Amino acid sequence: MKKSPRKRAARTRAETPALLKGLLFGPDGAAFSPTHTRKGGRLYRYYVSQTVLKHGTGSCPIGRVPAGEIEAAVFDQLRAVFRQPEIVAGTWKAASAHASDITEADARAALQQIDPLWDELFPAEQARIVALLVERVDIGTDGLNVRLRIDGLGDLAREMLASGIGEAA
């Protein structure tokens, strides 16, 4: 309690990563902001609509969503994208424009390695990868729409290949 409120808030933000900060938008186009609460010593993370913050509960059909659930849903959609042949081909084309020695098999292997490595990454690295890959996430009453950065897929594949991750065996 002797620490300043700003230092405590900064530490809390560092301990509670918000993978979709700045990327999540509601059905009315308003951004969602990360927030959290503690109950019984347990941390609960959420994203809350700016509309709700400004106008109160009931002003948006989706007022808040549990952070873990929405982040998992977005990553599940990314996993499905990584397996699509046309995405692999597009990633390879984007990556090979900057490094001509990258093969389509290299791009496929790099994208497939993200899934098993994901849970081992530090939250800051997960957030960096999401920001690299995702342009925007729109949440509606009927589901999610994840808009990708195709150039980000190429950048990620190049990074992974440069670090030796995902090289074809």
Side-chain angles (χ1 to χ4, degrees):
M1 290 302 285
K2 289 183 180 182
K3 286 186 181 179
S4 76
R6 286 186 183 172
K7 286 185 179 179
R8 282 196 317 269
R11 192 184 89 230
T12 298
R13 277 192 298 277
E15 292 172 359
T16 57
L19 298 181
L20 301 178
K21 183 178 182 181
L23 301 173
L24 187 60
F25 297 86
D28 60 355
F32 274 61
S33 297
T35 188
H36 69 276
T37 187
R38 290 185 189 275
K39 290 183 183 175
R42 197 153 172 221
L43 180 72
Y44 295 90
R45 297 184 311 114
Y46 298 93
Y47 288 92
V48 180
S49 168
Q50 285 294 313
T51 302
V52 168
L53 292 175
K54 290 177 184 173
H55 304 291
T57 304
S59 58
C60 178
I62 301 172
R64 71 181 193 174
V65 292
E69 289 178 26
I70 192 76
E71 291 167 357
V74 168
F75 191 67
D76 285 346
Q77 287 198 11
L78 288 176
R79 281 184 178 117
V81 165
F82 298 154
R83 294 184 186 110
Q84 294 176 9
E86 62 274 13
I87 295 294
V88 172
T91 300
W92 167 62
K93 287 178 185 168
S96 64
H98 301 282
S100 59
D101 60 333
I102 294 176
T103 67
E104 190 170 348
D106 289 337
R108 182 181 307 104
L111 291 178
Q112 289 172 345
Q113 287 303 310
I114 295 170
D115 191 0
L117 289 175
W118 184 255
D119 292 333
E120 296 176 25
L121 296 174
F122 287 111
E125 184 65 6
Q126 289 176 339
R128 189 185 73 77
I129 289 171
V130 168
L132 189 67
L133 298 178
V134 177
E135 182 176 322
R136 180 181 174 113
V137 178
D138 290 297
I139 184 170
T141 54
D142 57 346
L144 288 178
N145 180 22
V146 179
R147 193 180 318 160
L148 298 177
R149 299 178 190 274
I150 296 300
D151 58 334
L153 286 167
D155 292 344
L156 181 61
R158 278 195 306 280
E159 278 184 27
M160 292 183 75
L161 290 167
S163 67
I165 297 171
E167 291 179 348

